[in-house]
Amino acid sequence: DAGVTQSPTHLIKTRGQHVTLRCSPISGHKSVSWYQQVLGQGPQFIFQYYEKEERGRGNFPDRFSARQFPNYSSELNVNALLLGDSALYLCASSWGGGGETQYFGPGTRLLVL
Amino acid sequence: SQQGEEDPQALSIQEGENATMNCSYKTSINNLQWYRQNSGRGLVHLILIRSNEREKHSGRLRVTLDTSKKSSSLLITASRAADTASYFCATDAGETSGSRLTFGEGTQLTVNP
């Protein structure tokens, strides 16, 4: 079975642009969460979606938004990119809405110049 | 902000030795999960221990949890060069908060051949 997949693997943008990152969860999983990992730090929670509804939002500005589609895949959108948005963006899927193992994808590395 | 703190920040050992990493956290949890990350790639799930469990084993891994001290430890026995990676603990407060994982800063483990 395929694991969590993310696209693209790498991305270079300039300040002020917007970016869309995509994630496909493990088949049968209904929850997708997004994390940002800045170099040298642990991942930080951005969003969780379960059954296409937002279940949680971390301490990130409104420039960050996400959605989950009927097939449970998800998009993370970031507008008005800042240099500080450069990071590894990780997607995780789990079967239910909470208290379970989360399985992570390989991540999308975003560089903002 | 990070809830957990891992100790030590970096650990260098010889192949065959045991490696112990510690994690402390601040709030009540439903479960605690340990992950491995190789060179800034995706996170690989190692083990999940629930708040009502005290010890769990998986192959060469042994995890303990002390909820009274709000701490956990990960022991890797008979380490191998391939165990070289960053190790993170992550706490999950439970279903009321969805699947929000709060990560520590990680321990960088180097196993020398």
Side-chain angles (χ1 to χ4, degrees), chain A residues 17-19 36 45-47 49 54 56-67 75-82 85 89:
Chain A
Q17 287 187 313
H18 72 272
V19 67
Q36 180 197 64
F45 173 78
I46 309 175
F47 285 110
Y49 277 78
E54 183 182 302
R57 170 187 282 260
N59 188 23
F60 281 82
D62 292 344
R63 300 185 296 107
F64 289 76
S65 63
R67 55 180 175 167
E75 282 183 355
L76 174 69
N77 294 283
V78 187
N79 293 323
L81 285 167
L82 303 174
D85 295 330
Y89 288 85

Side-chain angles (χ1 to χ4, degrees), chain A residues 37 42, chain B residues 6 33-35 37 43 86-89 103-106:
Chain A
Q37 186 179 23
Chain B
E6 273 107 339
Q33 303 182 36
W34 283 91
Y35 289 86
Q37 185 176 42
L43 298 169
S86 292
Y87 290 81
F88 293 91
C89 70
F103 284 83
E105 298 286 344

Side-chain angles (χ1 to χ4, degrees), chain A residues 28-33 48-51 55 68 92-103, chain B residues 92 95 98-100:
Chain A
H29 284 192
K30 300 179 179 179
S31 173
V32 169
S33 297
Q48 188 219 355
Y49 277 78
Y50 175 64
E51 287 282 18
R55 286 288 297 270
Q68 186 176 35
S93 80
S94 59
W95 185 85
E100 301 151 335
T101 297
Q102 292 193 42
Y103 297 91
Chain B
D92 185 342
E95 196 159 346
S99 290
R100 178 190 304 234

Side-chain angles (χ1 to χ4, degrees), chain B residues 51-67:
Chain B
S51 60
N52 61 353
E53 297 175 309
R54 292 297 168 258
E55 188 170 312
K56 214 164 178 181
H57 297 256
S58 177
R60 294 183 297 112
L61 306 180
R62 172 178 170 253
V63 168
T64 61
L65 179 64
D66 187 335
T67 53

